[in-house]
Amino acid sequence: MRKYARRNGLERRFRGSKNWLAVGALAATVLGSSPPSAAAVKESESAAGTAASVPAASLPVKRINVAAGPLDAAIAAYEQQTGLHVRVDLPQGTLAGFQTKGVSGLFAEDEALDLLLAGTGLSFRIENESTVAIGLQAKDSVDVSASANSVALTQFTEPLTDVPQTVNVVPQFVMQEQAVTTMRDSLRNVPGISIAAGEGGAQGDNLTIRGFSARNDIFLDGIRDFGSYYRDSFNYEAVEVLQGPASVEFGRGSTGGVVNQEQKQPLLNEKISGSLQLGTNLMRRVTADVNEPLTSLGSGAAFRLNVMGTQTNVAERDVAETQRYGIAPSIAFGQNSPTRFLVSYLHEGENSTPDYGLPYFLYKLPDVNRRNYYGFANDNFLRTNPDIVTGRVEHDFHLPVTLRSSLRWANYGRNVRITEPQVPSTPVFSTIGGVRMVACLPPACFPINYDPNQVQVRRNQITSKSDEDILWEQTSLVARVKVAHVENSVVLMLEGGRERSSPQRTTYSVPNTSLLDPNPYDIFAPTSAVLGAKTHVVSTSYGLNLLDTLKLTSWLQLSGGIRFDYFNTDSLVDALGTTPGSHTSRLDKQPTYRAAVVVKPRSNGSVYFDYGTSFNPSAESLSLSANNATSAPELNSTTEIGTKWDFLHEHLNVSGSYFATEKQNARETDPNNTTNTILVGTQRVRGAQVAAIGHMPEHFDIIVGYAYLNGVVEKSILNASPFSSQYIQGDPVYGQFPYFFSPKGFPFANVPKNSGNLWITHDLWWHFVGGFGSNYVAARRASSTAMAAVYNSVTPAPVTSVPLDFKAIPGYWTFNAMLRRPISDHLDFQANVINLTNKFYIDQPHPNHLIPGEGLNAQIGLNVKF
């Protein structure tokens, strides 16, 4: 991501050996501080810009490589790499007498220029958004701006304006303004994404991108992060969403897109920042970010440490509580040299009281108190402990070639026991006109006129104790070469490794509770507990891809790629008692492709056409059994037409696209053998998206988006329609059981047709900065299947069906606000109000339960920086 980070009295890094003393000063500053100096206030209102909306060092960084040597040549290289114009206010020819030690590494543009001028006696000032002046007595001025115009992924060599794919970036400054604490909340700034509840066997972040599940399409610095846990944002530089099939870049999955978490990395400037947040929902959150150059280990060595501790309740949801802590140290060497090393570690520990919300009643949201908690407050738990270690080495050759190799080991420990509230699933029958019929369908099996006071809720215990781990190596070669006078940006990547999962579940039978008045403090006293067999799943895979962008002219680019994936999975279920063990395996070898054309009417804009493919193997989520082991991968394709434009010197990015994604052989349950899965369905999503992100003077920040998604089932094994006479299974006494099916024309689960987001900030009076935002999600269904009660008389009679019913979730609007003001040169006050109208809405739907969103709450925070 590109940025413009400028210094002034408010943001100058704390230099010298006293830097570590600022750690102790952080706590003292929180307890007491003085207003900002008059000079600081005056400087923050200078004509050249305004004070930064976030600390400059907290913004994303850019790699800059300028060789040592004459300063005039170095300045020319700096201009080319940053796009800034450098004006030299010195007598002609003077600059040629200066030498520079050069700069190589990850820097803000002002930091890189400062290092280039080190030891020369020269300084610089920011004239405007695109011009820097160098002179003998230049004075610093301020303008901090950022735009989402690049990502740190190796697979993307061009600015995002020239990437023929919808890419949304949520930068760190937006997350800070919104007081975001999780990846899930950061993604509310991206159109086309829906949040869903965790599945029974896999808790944690569960997403839908462009109508297709992205549960297994979450990455951390370009490597798959498949663990079942809720991800905190304390170590984020940015969150990037690449929409559309991306198997050619990332391998299996990615039907609707992928999410990449970009971690903070060590920098070559001294920095300390931190925050304290207190909330009306009993939130207590502390973060700290410390960066220290390690000059004793070399001029390019640096160490960075991010830590976090959070404890919070959920407004308008009794009992539910989150307790989480995190630590993320990283150390880098040789950042200003051709060969660079990085080692990082991430640990997030969570011990929370989970909330699976409310049950369905008659396939609808029940009319109950939104605070009702149906679990066991003292005996339900969610304990996760991911540990992720990454080592990376990069080398720049004399030719424009960079070799990067990353090695990662990660372990995702998990132990959970969560209550899923369900209305009992035993069918209830009635006799109407001498005909025996099913009054409703599982799990809401009560007659229409049943008294809710008598309804009992089944407390389904979802349990899992498991360790998942991954050992993965990724090596890439990035080269910019000319072939027949055509510039090529080539990426060659080879990656592979081993992924393992070993879940074991216990089945409990516990007493029911009341629908209207549950007691969350009931003693957890199961009437039975059955330990399930342990499953061992091992996947060995590798992928090889080649990507190329050809710049035929200044206005025409072609890009394409091909990848081959080898994905081999073995699943072994241990024998348990008299039940024998079992072994299943599946090997998939699958190519994927992408091709695109980019036309640039102007240098700051593009129009593109893109076609890409992806695949979903049966063992995509490291789960394989006899009913899907023989199934080939689902195959997907997407076509997309779009345009992207940069305005205001890349401070504002605007994009729009129209796309169509089709899954040609979707998996469905065989109606003649419900233990078998067959590939017969066709699913299609057509839609359009628009988005804009800007980071401009006067604290004018904006991120806005809208998505229209029309997802339907085009073909099904049933191809049924309402009031169909088809049925699946007969009942020997009462006739036909109800059945579930996904016929042609039915909509996708968790896919609202319309959704949008807005966040905007601007300067107010008396040095305050205000922010306002909203999210809209239209009505959606919790499942793409429909339910029909089919019945007949005991004696032979024509089979008839009652009308179809759906589990539908109503749409909603939510609104948020923010107010921020500097208290001193090192301290900002910030207040956020979430869900201003205290809207009761379902945030995370699931086919079996509904999780409400958080009610009205306020957070007051202090942000410290040195």
Side-chain angles (χ1 to χ4, degrees):
M1 176 176 298
R2 183 172 181 177
K3 70 176 172 268
Y4 297 92
R6 316 301 185 208
R7 293 189 177 90
N8 74 336
L10 289 173
E11 295 193 341
R12 187 180 300 277
R13 281 67 168 171
F14 190 63
R15 300 277 181 177
S17 61
K18 297 181 180 179
N19 192 14
W20 284 100
L21 296 177
V23 176
L26 188 151
T29 307
V30 169
L31 296 175
S33 58
S34 59
S37 64
V41 172
K42 181 179 180 180
E43 200 169 57
S44 71
E45 297 175 334
S46 64
T50 59
S53 57
V54 293
S58 72
L59 294 173
V61 296
K62 184 178 183 180
R63 180 164 301 284
I64 298 176
N65 295 299
V66 178
L71 184 58
D72 52 357
I75 293 298
Y78 173 86
E79 288 180 309
Q80 182 179 10
Q81 294 180 31
T82 64
L84 295 174
H85 170 64
V86 179
R87 192 183 75 245
V88 180
D89 294 336
L90 294 170
Q92 187 174 3
T94 304
L95 199 62
F98 290 93
Q99 296 288 314
T100 179
K101 296 179 181 179
V103 59
S104 178
L106 295 169
F107 299 97
E109 290 158 342
D110 65 322
E111 296 165 355
L113 186 56
D114 198 25
L115 290 172
L116 285 177
L117 299 179
T120 64
L122 302 175
S123 60
F124 68 91
R125 68 177 181 273
I126 310 303
E127 290 286 302
N128 53 48
E129 296 171 349
S130 60
T131 304
V132 180
I134 292 179
L136 292 174
Q137 295 181 345
K139 181 180 179 181
D140 290 342
S141 60
V142 185
D143 182 84
V144 177
S145 192
S147 66
N149 202 33
S150 66
V151 293
L153 294 168
T154 302
Q155 296 95 319
F156 296 87
T157 60
E158 308 304 314
L160 293 185
T161 308
D162 299 340
V163 171
Q165 183 178 359
T166 297
V167 182
N168 304 100
V169 179
V170 183
Q172 200 272 342
F173 75 84
V174 169
M175 290 184 272
Q176 185 176 14
E177 290 173 348
Q178 298 177 348
V180 162
T181 62
T182 62
M183 182 191 76
R184 182 176 65 248
D185 286 339
S186 71
L187 292 176
R188 300 185 194 278
N189 294 287
V190 179
I193 288 187
S194 299
I195 310 298
E199 297 293 341
Q203 294 68 46
D205 297 311
N206 191 14
L207 313 169
T208 298
I209 303 179
R210 285 188 174 177
F212 295 94
S213 173
R215 169 66 185 82
N216 302 292
D217 299 320
I218 301 174
F219 291 75
L220 183 67
D221 292 331
I223 296 178
R224 195 179 302 275
D225 181 29
F226 77 95
S228 297
Y229 69 106
Y230 293 101
R231 295 157 177 82
D232 198 282
S233 61
F234 79 103
N235 195 40
Y236 284 172
E237 198 68 75
V239 177
E240 301 146 355
V241 181
L242 300 93
Q243 303 203 40
S247 286
V248 74
E249 293 104 348
F250 296 95
R252 72 179 192 265
S254 71
T255 307
V258 303
V259 175
N260 182 61
Q261 310 156 85
E262 184 182 334
Q263 295 190 98
K264 296 177 181 177
Q265 297 184 11
L267 307 173
L268 293 181
N269 61 283
E270 298 163 320
K271 165 190 177 290
I272 289 181
S273 64
S275 67
L276 170 67
Q277 290 174 263
L278 302 174
T280 58
N281 55 356
L282 298 183
M283 178 187 208
R284 293 87 80 197
R285 180 178 174 88
V286 177
T287 65
D289 182 355
V290 180
N291 190 84
E292 178 72 14
L294 303 176
T295 55
S296 60
L297 299 179
S299 59
F303 172 80
R304 190 167 186 175
L305 175 66
N306 277 268
V307 295
M308 169 275 300
T310 293
Q311 185 171 359
T312 181
N313 293 353
V314 181
E316 301 292 342
R317 289 296 298 155
D318 290 347
V319 179
E321 182 185 40
T322 297
Q323 296 185 55
R324 187 185 300 124
Y325 73 93
I327 182 170
S330 56
I331 187 169
F333 301 93
Q335 292 191 82
N336 54 3
S337 69
T339 304
R340 301 170 292 278
F341 301 89
L342 172 72
V343 179
S344 67
Y345 169 66
L346 172 65
H347 175 81
E348 291 186 25
E350 180 164 353
N351 185 4
S352 299
T353 303
D355 180 17
Y356 264 24
L358 309 173
Y360 288 93
F361 181 55
L362 300 176
Y363 297 100
K364 299 176 183 178
L365 179 66
D367 184 15
V368 299
N369 191 324
R370 67 191 288 186
R371 292 179 174 270
N372 279 4
Y373 186 83
Y374 294 89
F376 295 91
N378 298 320
D379 292 280
N380 284 162
F381 51 83
L382 171 67
R383 299 167 185 158
T384 57
N385 288 281
D387 293 285
I388 304 172
V389 181
T390 307
R392 188 175 73 209
V393 59
E394 294 178 306
H395 180 74
D396 298 330
F397 294 92
H398 293 296
L399 297 173
V401 175
T402 297
L403 181 67
R404 170 188 283 191
S405 183
S406 299
L407 178 65
R408 173 172 294 169
W409 173 84
N411 183 79
Y412 304 93
R414 177 167 53 108
N415 187 11
V416 301
R417 186 163 70 215
I418 305 174
T419 296
E420 179 183 55
Q422 299 178 351
V423 174
S425 57
T426 303
V428 175
F429 296 91
S430 300
T431 300
I432 301 176
V435 176
R436 192 75 166 173
M437 67 165 287
V438 179
C440 67
L441 301 175
C445 283
F446 288 94
I448 301 297
N449 60 352
Y450 203 89
D451 184 0
N453 288 287
Q454 300 181 39
V455 174
Q456 292 287 300
V457 174
R458 176 179 176 236
R459 290 166 153 174
N460 178 39
Q461 297 303 298
I462 295 176
T463 66
S464 181
K465 189 172 183 180
S466 178
D467 279 304
E468 286 86 30
D469 66 66
I470 181 173
L471 180 63
W472 198 260
E473 211 287 327
Q474 183 183 87
T475 298
S476 62
L477 185 72
V478 181
R480 295 184 181 272
V481 296
K482 280 192 174 183
V483 178
H485 306 289
V486 175
E487 182 178 337
N488 288 252
S489 298
V490 181
V491 178
L492 179 64
M493 178 179 290
L494 174 64
E495 60 179 336
R498 182 200 66 204
E499 301 165 78
R500 298 187 298 191
S501 177
S502 57
Q504 186 173 30
R505 299 177 175 86
T506 302
T507 302
Y508 294 97
S509 295
V510 299
N512 296 340
T513 189
S514 168
L515 173 68
L516 298 184
D517 189 24
N519 182 5
Y521 297 100
D522 284 341
I523 296 174
F524 182 75
T527 57
S528 67
V530 179
L531 182 65
K534 193 166 189 177
T535 303
H536 307 271
V537 183
V538 180
S539 289
T540 304
S541 59
Y542 68 83
L544 174 65
N545 63 0
L546 175 66
L547 308 170
D548 191 10
T549 299
L550 297 84
K551 298 181 179 179
L552 301 179
T553 68
S554 60
W555 58 269
L556 180 61
Q557 299 179 14
L558 301 180
S559 64
I562 183 172
R563 176 175 173 125
F564 176 80
D565 277 280
Y566 172 99
F567 187 58
N568 187 28
T569 303
D570 285 277
S571 178
L572 176 65
V573 180
D574 292 343
L576 185 66
T578 59
T579 304
S582 63
H583 174 261
T584 54
S585 62
R586 173 76 197 176
L587 172 61
D588 291 303
K589 302 177 182 179
Q590 186 66 41
T592 49
Y593 312 92
R594 161 161 277 159
V597 179
V598 178
V599 178
K600 296 181 64 62
R602 297 177 61 90
S603 61
N604 65 319
S606 68
V607 179
Y608 65 88
F609 172 81
D610 176 43
Y611 173 82
T613 66
S614 66
F615 73 103
N616 301 95
S618 297
E620 177 183 2
S621 59
L622 296 193
S623 177
L624 190 69
S625 58
N627 72 332
N628 64 2
T630 59
S631 297
E634 296 176 315
L635 302 177
N636 320 289
S637 62
T638 287
T639 54
E640 180 174 323
I641 301 173
T643 184
K644 302 179 182 181
W645 292 86
D646 295 325
F647 301 103
L648 304 176
H649 302 284
E650 296 189 22
H651 291 203
L652 176 65
N653 311 109
V654 179
S655 62
S657 63
Y658 171 82
F659 64 90
T661 299
E662 185 175 76
K663 184 182 291 290
Q664 293 95 342
N665 55 340
R667 295 186 186 90
E668 292 189 357
T669 300
D670 187 346
N672 299 311
N673 180 6
T674 56
T675 64
N676 189 37
T677 300
I678 54 180
L679 299 174
V680 294
T682 302
Q683 302 172 351
R684 182 258 301 155
V685 176
R686 291 195 180 106
Q689 292 178 239
V690 292
I693 180 171
H695 195 42
M696 295 162 283
E698 299 181 353
H699 297 100
F700 183 17
D701 298 338
I702 183 171
I703 183 167
V704 61
Y706 166 78
Y708 171 81
L709 301 176
N710 183 20
V712 297
V713 176
E714 288 193 329
K715 180 183 177 182
S716 168
I717 184 62
L718 296 173
N719 273 333
S721 60
F723 308 102
S724 169
S725 61
Q726 300 184 49
Y727 62 89
I728 292 177
Q729 181 178 353
D731 178 77
V733 178
Y734 297 120
Q736 311 304 322
F737 272 108
Y739 63 86
F740 298 83
F741 60 105
S742 299
K744 181 178 180 180
F746 275 35
F748 281 12
N750 196 28
V751 183
K753 275 198 173 183
N754 297 279
S755 61
N757 61 276
L758 168 69
W759 179 257
I760 187 168
T761 66
H762 201 275
D763 276 344
L764 301 177
W765 306 274
W766 303 299
H767 312 296
F768 279 100
V769 176
F772 177 80
S774 67
N775 284 89
Y776 171 70
V777 178
R780 48 188 164 156
R781 291 174 177 171
S783 173
S784 61
T785 59
M787 303 76 70
V790 185
Y791 60 89
N792 65 7
S793 60
V794 177
T795 58
V799 176
T800 314
S801 67
V802 301
L804 302 178
D805 205 354
F806 297 90
K807 293 179 178 177
I809 313 301
Y812 63 87
W813 283 91
T814 59
F815 302 94
N816 307 312
M818 180 273 291
L819 194 67
R820 187 181 68 245
R821 189 186 191 279
I823 298 175
S824 72
D825 288 356
H826 302 292
L827 184 66
D828 288 343
F829 163 84
Q830 181 173 325
N832 291 78
V833 182
I834 313 300
N835 195 357
L836 283 164
T837 63
N838 198 27
K839 176 69 175 179
F840 176 38
Y841 66 98
I842 298 303
D843 181 41
Q844 301 174 57
H846 185 274
N848 294 326
H849 61 272
L850 301 162
I851 300 180
E854 189 166 22
L856 170 66
N857 68 97
Q859 299 172 15
I860 298 175
L862 295 172
N863 303 315
V864 182
K865 55 182 182 290
F866 293 93

